[in-house]
Amino acid sequence: MRILIDNFTKTFGTTTVIRDMTLDIESGEMLALLGPSGCGKSTTLFAVCGIHRMNGGRLLFGDRDVTTVSSQDRNVGVVFQNYALYPHMNVFENISFPLKIRKESKADIDAKVREMAKLVHIEDLMERKPAQLSGGQQQRVALARALIRKPDVLLLDEPLANLDAKLRLEMRSEIRRIQQETGITAILVTHDQVEAMSMCDRIAIMNKGQIVQLSSPSEMYNEPASAFVAGFMGNPPISFLDGTVEGSSLRLDQSSIVLPLPESSRPASPASRVKLGVRPEYFQPENPDKVEGKISFIEIQGRETLYDVTLENGAVLRSIQSSGPLHKLGDTVRWGVDHSRVLAFDESGARL
Amino acid sequence: MRRSHLLGLGFMTPAILLTLALFIIPVVLTGVFSFTNMSTSTGITGGAYEINPRSIRLMKDAGLREGLIGDLEENLYKIDAAGLAQVEKDFGKKLAEEMKGAYDGQTFKDRRELVRAIKDLKSRPRSSRDLNKAADLFQKSILNVRYDDESAFLNGLGNLGITLQDGEQAELTRFAYTGWVWTTENFSNMAAMPSTYRAAFNTVLYIAFTLTFNIVFGVFLAVATFYLPSAAASTFRTIWFLPRILPHVLYVILWKWFTWDTGFLSQVLEPFGVAPRNWMMDTEINAWVSIVLINGFVGASLGMILFSSAIKAIPSSMLYASEVDGASRLQQVRYIILPQLRWPIMFTSIYQTLSLLTSFDYIYLATDGGPGSSTTVWALYAFKTALNNYGGNLQYGFGAALALVLVGIGILASVLYLRLFDFKSMNAAPRIEQ
Amino acid sequence: MTKNFKTLPVYILLSVLSLPLVIMYAYLVIDTFTVTTPGSLVPGPFTLHNWRFLWEPAKPGQASIWAATLNTFLFAGGTMLIVLMTSATAGYALSRLRMPMRSFMLAGLIMLHAFPTVTLIISVFLILQIIGLYDTLIGVILVRAALDLPLGVWIMKGFYDNVPWEIEMAGVQDGASRFTVWWRLILPQIQPGLAALGIFSFLQAWSEFILPQVLAPGANAQVLSVYMQAVVKSETQMDFTLFKTIGLFYTLPVVVIYLIFNKKLMNIYGGGTKG
């Protein structure tokens, strides 16, 4: 089902946390609301499920305006960060609770719960209490409970945050599989860009109550609309260099280093200030535009090695290389920047 | 009004009603009652109008006109229908009719005057005994006659021919009224009575000593049981916790058995040449020690529990670290444990100060405020004044005034207590906006 | 907990300080089952003679102890029920529900929960006289419950506060009304709190003396504390053995309840004092 958040405004007391936000989620799509804590993504989620009232704007599920409909009548499934399973009920009772509230017949409930348990692979756990389940199993039960009454939209609030690293990988693909098998429209709230990129069709990245960019994961990574988005996407993160434009090049502050600007993003006025974003994979020994610096930090990640190179003006460029650690701390290196892949931003952080 | 508002208010209603009826209204009424002279003799609902020896005495003290008081005290003789009917029955129709013709409606100041008047009649009785008897049938007095309201009372006065001068009516009805009236005398009495100051002093003494005992023992018990294996620790904790749940009557009986002349202490000390005596009551000092111990052995357990859980919350790595650093046990207690107890100690002190301020049941049961009134604390003083006075006249109004002082202190202290809490975070809006 | 220090001095000190209490407890039990000779602490032979008040009046003119026992059960049980029901609902409303004047009620609650209640006994006495509940069990139950209520609501609110909001939100999303959420999802989570508060108010009421003594002293509503005090008062000679036997009979239920439930009861001291 298509979900439309139209001109949504939310205030707490006198502070407006979200102003005139509009977001159109296509039917069957899985969309990530990504942003740092306090950006308003959870507030948006709570507004969609009806826990929070909207102070302005509309919310549409398909053609149905649900702006003032209560949570109980909204038909939204939610998976909470801590799963919020009912501790005194066993798995079966947890999953069947929404159906019991609707007073469905026992046979119906039984059949639906079995089917759902099969979908999320927890058929053997029906008699257990939540406390006897692992994190991943609890997650599956929470999914089953959210999906059991065929909601119009599935909301996932940081669903992987409470899992350890290995389970996180497993559940990432499991959630995606279940979402695709059921064809349900889903909204994933997360602060982890890896989660957002790996699980979702599109990402809406939020900052200070605004959606700053809405696009597919790869587009968001390669063509960020602002320095904020560029800084948020990618791990290890992008490094920024500040400088002043000189013709078609950029002179870094307090240094003799001059780097060519990408052709597509020359600023209109000469001598303007520009922030250059260089991703670690585009700062490599073999690239043409050489920059000299001293290795100030090495992190060995096994398959790859991460270097921090401090330039003469104190700015830091990061490089990730697939070879083993060939350099030592304190080595002076001359590596090159791939200027066609460099991202340029103006002073306000907007992409040039 | 949203639906959850209704649910919330509905959920609050029983609590609000109960608190209102038996908590808030009593607070207000304590204030109201303290400005009355309610007592057993005035009753609490309303009163009647009556001149009685007591009100006569009060009127004399207040300097009312001698003549009026004399009239009120005087027996009057009034010829009325009721008296005449009686005369007809006892002395025959003739005398009755003659009296009615001659004197109906007249008032005579005393019996002699009436007897003289009867003697003038033809059908008068012969013997002076019968004359007196006949006269007595007309005897009227306002004394000890109850009138339900003011106009009936004034009517009664009028019927007896008692005449009031200007301004006397209001005063007289005031003295005749037996119900309660508004007054500020409770407070002036309170300020004037030495027993008030004694009670205040006792209260301060009681709180200071008992609180100190409670806190010191609470800390000691918490720290000591912390160092014991858990079975031993919980045994000692149970021993000290039991007084808290034992019925107060029984607990005090046990102390009486322990301290009285036929009790444990006297029996143990007798072989050593100490004469049996009532260790609880024989001197003021002993009474005080008993009071503090009786309350303290109960109060210490609250501190013990709260401090124990505070000590348990100290990360054990901190304790191990201090031991590795070579701290002795006393040093560990001094530098690691006690600093963690600062907040619970403050909390317990304030909470117990408030409850000690008003608790009196152990004192009431143990020494009953004695010997003399040496252990009568304010709350007990108020209680005895209003509800437990062997003299028989319970002074509700004065007792309420005494209680009002405690209520005032209680409200002030509760406001302070409110400040101890992080009210802002408690008051955070519920997260579901329905 | 820590093994680096000797425990013997601690044992000795604690034992000495606990001695008066231990002696009292010991002789409380010993004296009631033995023939006590005045002036001797050595227990005499076993006897049940001291317990005869169970089948005959303790003193001529005294009522049977069983009526008082029944009254005490009604008093403590009634108080417990009222406190539990009103605290369970009011605590939830204050913890979780939006409603008008919420912060006013919260502030009032904190103030009342510290407020010294005994001071009100004089006006409560007069109020009960006026509304005609004086000397009835109902009256004294309502008073006891009302005075316990602020603490009860406060404690229950503490327990509700500790239930994750997400459980509540999940329930609402699952289509349950707020009432159903409370009844079927939240109440089961706070059972320890209900148990602690229930035990606490039962024990409090069971041992209570002043309130019933003042508000319901008559024979019809007499509870065990008033009964026992009446026996004590009617004695010119202090017959401690009789008092202790009645006292032991009186206190047995609370000691049993305490020994069984003391872990649960202790929850109250965690819930009630959180800042």
Side-chain angles (χ1 to χ4, degrees):
Chain A
M1 185 160 304
R2 170 182 179 233
I3 309 295
L4 176 64
I5 302 169
D6 185 19
N7 275 313
F8 163 47
T9 299
K10 176 70 198 173
T11 56
F12 290 114
T14 52
T15 44
T16 304
V17 286
I18 290 175
R19 175 164 286 144
D20 289 335
M21 173 180 144
T22 297
L23 181 60
D24 193 348
I25 304 153
E26 285 161 31
S27 186
E29 175 183 40
M30 181 144 172
L31 179 122
L33 275 179
L34 176 66
S37 60
C39 71
K41 57 188 193 299
S42 291
T43 307
T44 309
L45 177 105
F46 281 141
V48 173
C49 59
I51 300 264
H52 284 172
R53 323 177 126 245
M54 295 169 70
N55 297 94
R58 291 186 311 154
L59 177 65
L60 283 96
F61 288 2
D63 295 326
R64 179 170 165 237
D65 187 335
V66 295
T67 314
T68 55
V69 173
S70 74
S71 290
Q72 285 91 339
D73 304 325
R74 232 175 237 206
N75 204 20
V76 174
V78 187
V79 174
F80 293 95
Q81 178 173 346
N82 58 10
Y83 319 129
L85 299 179
Y86 310 131
H88 58 295
M89 298 182 182
N90 67 21
V91 169
F92 181 90
E93 290 164 331
N94 260 285
I95 299 175
S96 61
F97 184 75
L99 304 180
K100 277 213 188 106
I101 290 296
R102 288 192 192 170
K103 302 201 162 49
E104 294 197 10
S105 78
K106 213 171 166 320
D108 275 4
I109 292 179
D110 228 54
K112 284 184 183 171
V113 172
R114 301 280 156 217
E115 185 192 347
M116 188 52 68
K118 213 165 153 195
L119 175 72
V120 301
H121 301 327
I122 50 167
E123 298 102 311
D124 307 331
L125 308 173
M126 301 311 268
E127 302 303 324
R128 296 219 198 150
K129 288 278 173 68
Q132 301 164 308
L133 299 174
S134 71
Q137 289 167 332
Q138 290 189 33
Q139 169 86 261
R140 289 170 192 268
V141 177
L143 267 170
R145 188 181 65 188
L147 293 170
I148 189 84
R149 62 204 165 111
K150 310 251 174 296
D152 295 333
V153 56
L154 174 67
L155 305 181
L156 302 148
D157 185 12
E158 303 272 8
L160 304 175
N162 284 14
L163 295 175
D164 58 44
K166 190 162 163 281
L167 265 176
R168 201 174 294 179
L169 279 177
E170 178 191 324
M171 288 313 295
R172 219 152 75 182
S173 47
E174 273 297 280
I175 292 174
R176 181 62 163 162
R177 171 184 70 81
I178 293 163
Q179 185 261 333
Q180 282 175 331
E181 272 181 37
T182 51
I184 192 170
T185 312
I187 302 177
L188 170 78
V189 163
T190 179
H191 65 276
D192 181 352
Q193 46 96 17
V194 180
E195 249 171 69
M197 289 212 285
S198 58
M199 291 168 75
C200 295
D201 300 305
R202 283 195 302 163
I203 297 173
I205 187 162
M206 290 186 73
N207 190 29
K208 294 175 185 156
Q210 301 280 339
I211 292 181
V212 289
Q213 188 172 358
L214 173 63
S215 47
S216 69
S218 59
E219 190 184 335
M220 182 137 317
Y221 186 79
N222 294 320
E223 300 296 338
S226 66
F228 171 80
V229 177
F232 208 85
M233 308 297 289
N235 184 28
I238 198 166
S239 22
F240 289 108
L241 301 170
D242 291 311
T244 315
V245 174
E246 284 181 0
S248 65
S249 303
L250 184 76
R251 173 178 293 280
L252 300 191
D253 292 345
Q254 292 139 16
S255 78
S256 54
I257 303 169
V258 176
L259 285 171
L261 283 169
E263 278 130 48
S264 56
S265 46
R266 299 266 157 77
S269 59
S272 57
R273 306 275 303 147
V274 161
K275 191 189 275 289
L276 216 53
V278 183
R279 293 208 181 272
E281 58 269 38
Y282 303 130
F283 178 52
Q284 298 291 338
E286 63 276 11
N287 286 347
D289 302 304
K290 298 292 186 201
V291 177
E292 190 179 279
K294 206 177 252 175
I295 296 181
S296 55
F297 178 76
I298 303 179
E299 186 182 301
I300 299 163
Q301 297 183 335
R303 191 156 38 85
E304 287 149 343
T305 306
L306 181 69
Y307 300 96
D308 276 11
V309 176
T310 305
L311 311 185
E312 60 176 71
N313 65 347
V316 175
L317 274 178
R318 222 165 271 129
S319 172
I320 190 156
Q321 298 174 14
S322 52
S323 54
L326 301 172
H327 309 275
K328 290 199 306 293
L329 206 61
D331 283 1
T332 303
V333 292
R334 266 179 74 80
W335 291 341
V337 173
D338 181 352
H339 78 267
S340 65
R341 309 304 294 266
V342 155
L343 305 166
F345 305 95
D346 70 12
E347 258 182 299
S348 69
R351 180 81 185 277
L352 291 169
Chain B
M1 188 88 58
R2 295 182 199 155
R3 268 173 68 193
S4 87
H5 286 185
L6 287 179
L7 182 66
L9 292 177
F11 268 27
M12 288 302 296
T13 305
I16 289 176
L17 286 183
L18 208 52
T19 337
L20 211 60
L22 295 166
F23 214 133
I24 310 287
I25 292 178
V27 169
V28 175
L29 286 188
T30 303
V32 173
F33 293 143
S34 69
F35 287 97
T36 72
N37 66 349
M38 276 187 196
S39 66
T40 324
S41 59
T42 66
I44 51 175
T45 38
Y49 293 84
E50 179 185 293
I51 302 287
N52 53 29
R54 183 173 162 271
S55 54
I56 295 278
R57 196 180 61 232
L58 290 174
M59 281 187 265
K60 279 181 179 158
D61 290 348
L64 254 69
R65 183 164 58 87
E66 292 270 341
L68 175 61
I69 296 175
D71 283 353
L72 293 172
E73 275 184 304
E74 203 77 14
N75 286 328
L76 292 170
Y77 293 83
K78 186 174 180 185
I79 310 304
D80 61 2
L84 287 169
Q86 198 60 41
V87 167
E88 188 176 327
K89 223 173 118 199
D90 294 357
F91 298 94
K93 200 169 178 179
K94 242 173 151 184
L95 178 62
E97 275 176 0
E98 203 175 351
M99 280 185 82
K100 188 174 181 200
Y103 307 124
D104 192 18
Q106 281 188 38
T107 305
F108 300 84
K109 259 175 78 186
D110 51 33
R111 189 162 73 179
R112 208 143 39 103
E113 206 172 295
L114 177 58
V115 167
R116 215 175 293 147
I118 298 176
K119 275 184 183 162
D120 292 345
L121 299 172
K122 269 202 270 171
S123 39
R124 62 170 201 257
R126 296 293 152 194
S127 72
S128 62
R129 197 171 138 261
D130 280 350
L131 276 170
N132 283 344
K133 239 173 111 185
D136 278 348
L137 293 174
F138 298 95
Q139 184 187 341
K140 291 281 178 315
S141 171
I142 191 113
L143 273 183
N144 297 323
V145 179
R146 283 178 80 89
Y147 297 93
D148 283 340
D149 55 45
E150 190 176 345
S151 62
F153 172 65
L154 292 174
N155 242 349
L157 284 177
N159 283 342
L160 291 174
I162 297 172
T163 46
L164 298 174
Q165 294 178 359
D166 285 351
E168 280 182 344
Q169 180 180 325
E171 217 168 348
L172 189 59
T173 45
R174 188 164 64 81
F175 279 110
Y177 185 58
T178 62
W180 57 269
V181 293
W182 301 107
T183 175
T184 54
E185 272 174 20
N186 293 328
F187 294 98
S188 47
N189 287 347
M190 201 193 297
M193 283 162 74
S195 50
T196 314
Y197 296 98
R198 179 68 211 238
F201 173 73
N202 284 345
T203 309
V204 173
L205 213 61
Y206 168 62
I207 293 176
F209 281 120
T210 313
L211 189 66
T212 312
F213 184 97
N214 284 353
I215 300 296
V216 170
F217 265 71
V219 171
F220 170 75
L221 287 169
V223 171
T225 52
F226 173 71
Y227 283 110
L228 294 183
S230 68
S234 69
T235 306
F236 278 114
R237 288 205 191 111
T238 304
I239 290 174
W240 282 82
F241 190 81
L242 273 180
R244 183 160 282 274
I245 58 164
L246 281 190
H248 301 186
V249 185
L250 172 65
Y251 175 67
V252 172
I253 282 292
L254 289 179
W255 275 94
K256 285 185 173 172
W257 169 79
F258 196 75
T259 53
W260 278 24
D261 42 4
T262 55
F264 180 82
L265 269 186
S266 295
Q267 286 180 31
V268 168
L269 292 176
E270 210 171 358
F272 301 97
V274 182
R277 60 191 238 210
N278 187 332
W279 290 90
M280 185 186 279
M281 295 292 283
D282 64 347
T283 65
E284 286 193 13
I285 302 280
N286 279 2
W288 270 106
V289 171
S290 307
I291 293 300
V292 171
L293 288 181
I294 289 174
N295 281 283
F297 272 63
V298 175
S301 58
L302 180 69
M304 174 182 81
I305 294 159
L306 297 180
F307 304 154
S308 284
S309 57
I311 294 177
K312 267 195 207 118
I314 300 174
S316 46
S317 57
M318 222 162 125
L319 294 167
Y320 291 138
S322 70
E323 283 165 34
V324 171
D325 291 345
S328 71
R329 174 150 52 202
L330 283 181
Q331 285 171 324
Q332 191 176 59
V333 170
R334 166 76 185 77
Y335 294 106
I336 311 288
I337 294 179
L338 285 186
Q340 298 286 325
L341 296 184
R342 206 176 302 157
W343 161 252
I345 286 177
M346 189 166 87
F347 178 89
T348 314
S349 303
I350 295 181
Y351 195 84
Q352 291 203 326
T353 304
L354 269 173
S355 54
L356 283 173
L357 185 67
T358 58
S359 77
F360 59 85
D361 40 354
Y362 288 121
I363 304 181
Y364 170 63
L365 289 167
T367 66
D368 198 13
S373 57
S374 56
T375 54
T376 303
V377 294
W378 192 283
L380 181 60
Y381 181 42
F383 171 73
K384 289 178 108 175
T385 304
L387 299 172
N388 198 274
N389 179 333
Y390 294 112
N393 191 22
L394 303 178
Q395 295 171 281
Y396 306 130
F398 188 41
L402 290 171
L404 187 66
V405 174
L406 292 182
V407 170
I409 297 174
I411 290 175
L412 275 182
S414 305
V415 172
L416 287 181
Y417 185 77
L418 179 59
R419 306 214 145 201
L420 281 184
F421 290 86
D422 180 9
F423 188 66
K424 216 169 161 190
S425 79
M426 276 184 42
N427 199 20
R431 287 172 57 193
I432 298 183
E433 298 181 349
Q434 289 191 328
Chain C
M1 83 151 287
T2 133
K3 295 275 181 288
N4 282 353
F5 300 121
K6 284 202 193 101
T7 49
L8 191 63
V10 180
Y11 272 117
I12 293 172
L13 194 54
L14 263 179
S15 305
V16 169
L17 290 170
S18 311
L19 208 57
L21 287 174
V22 174
I23 290 172
M24 287 181 206
Y25 300 156
Y27 277 93
L28 170 62
V29 178
I30 292 170
D31 281 357
T32 57
F33 288 109
T34 58
V35 178
T36 40
T37 11
S40 164
L41 292 170
V42 184
F46 175 83
T47 177
L48 281 178
H49 184 68
N50 299 323
W51 290 87
R52 66 191 179 279
F53 63 82
L54 290 182
W55 52 87
E56 64 188 41
K59 294 274 128 194
Q62 279 284 346
S64 151
I65 196 166
W66 295 104
T69 310
L70 177 66
N71 280 339
T72 315
F73 262 109
L74 292 176
F75 175 50
T79 305
M80 179 182 84
L81 276 184
I82 294 179
V83 168
L84 275 186
M85 288 191 299
T86 43
S87 307
T89 51
Y92 180 71
L94 286 176
S95 172
R96 290 294 157 96
L97 295 176
R98 297 201 162 210
M99 58 191 167
M101 306 217 296
R102 181 169 169 273
S103 58
F104 173 78
M105 290 193 263
L106 267 174
L109 172 69
I110 300 180
M111 282 182 59
L112 287 185
H113 120 263
F115 190 81
T117 50
V118 209
T119 45
L120 302 177
I121 195 168
I122 295 169
S123 61
V124 166
F125 169 80
L126 297 176
I127 290 171
L128 289 194
Q129 295 258 7
I130 292 167
I131 62 178
L133 285 178
Y134 175 70
D135 215 357
T136 62
L137 216 43
I138 293 285
V140 73
I141 286 174
L142 286 177
V143 173
R144 178 72 250 175
L147 299 187
D148 264 357
L149 201 59
L151 183 70
V153 176
W154 176 247
I155 284 166
M156 289 325 297
K157 181 187 175 295
F159 278 95
Y160 283 121
D161 285 346
N162 284 341
V163 177
W165 265 106
E166 282 78 9
I167 299 252
E168 186 121 13
M169 293 176 178
V172 168
Q173 292 307 320
D174 285 345
S177 69
R178 291 304 289 274
F179 182 85
T180 311
V181 167
W182 171 71
W183 180 249
R184 293 193 47 186
L185 301 181
I186 307 297
L187 262 191
Q189 316 299 322
I190 57 145
Q191 268 171 2
L194 288 174
L197 181 61
I199 297 165
F200 178 79
S201 61
F202 188 89
L203 294 183
Q204 287 264 91
W206 186 270
S207 303
E208 174 72 47
F209 168 65
I210 286 287
L211 283 180
Q213 168 78 9
V214 171
L215 304 177
N220 288 334
Q222 198 174 45
V223 294
L224 280 171
S225 57
V226 179
Y227 174 89
M228 184 170 164
Q229 180 68 4
V231 174
V232 173
K233 281 277 162 190
S234 70
E235 278 275 318
T236 40
Q237 201 70 37
M238 292 297 273
D239 183 355
F240 282 117
T241 308
L242 174 66
F243 304 159
K244 280 181 183 176
T245 319
I246 296 177
L248 186 60
F249 172 78
Y250 175 18
T251 201
L252 220 49
V254 292
V255 173
V256 169
I257 290 174
Y258 171 73
L259 290 179
I260 297 175
F261 295 115
N262 81 76
K263 283 255 161 53
K264 290 193 167 158
L265 177 64
M266 289 305 151
N267 278 330
I268 210 146
Y269 296 100
T273 53
K274 243 185 338 263

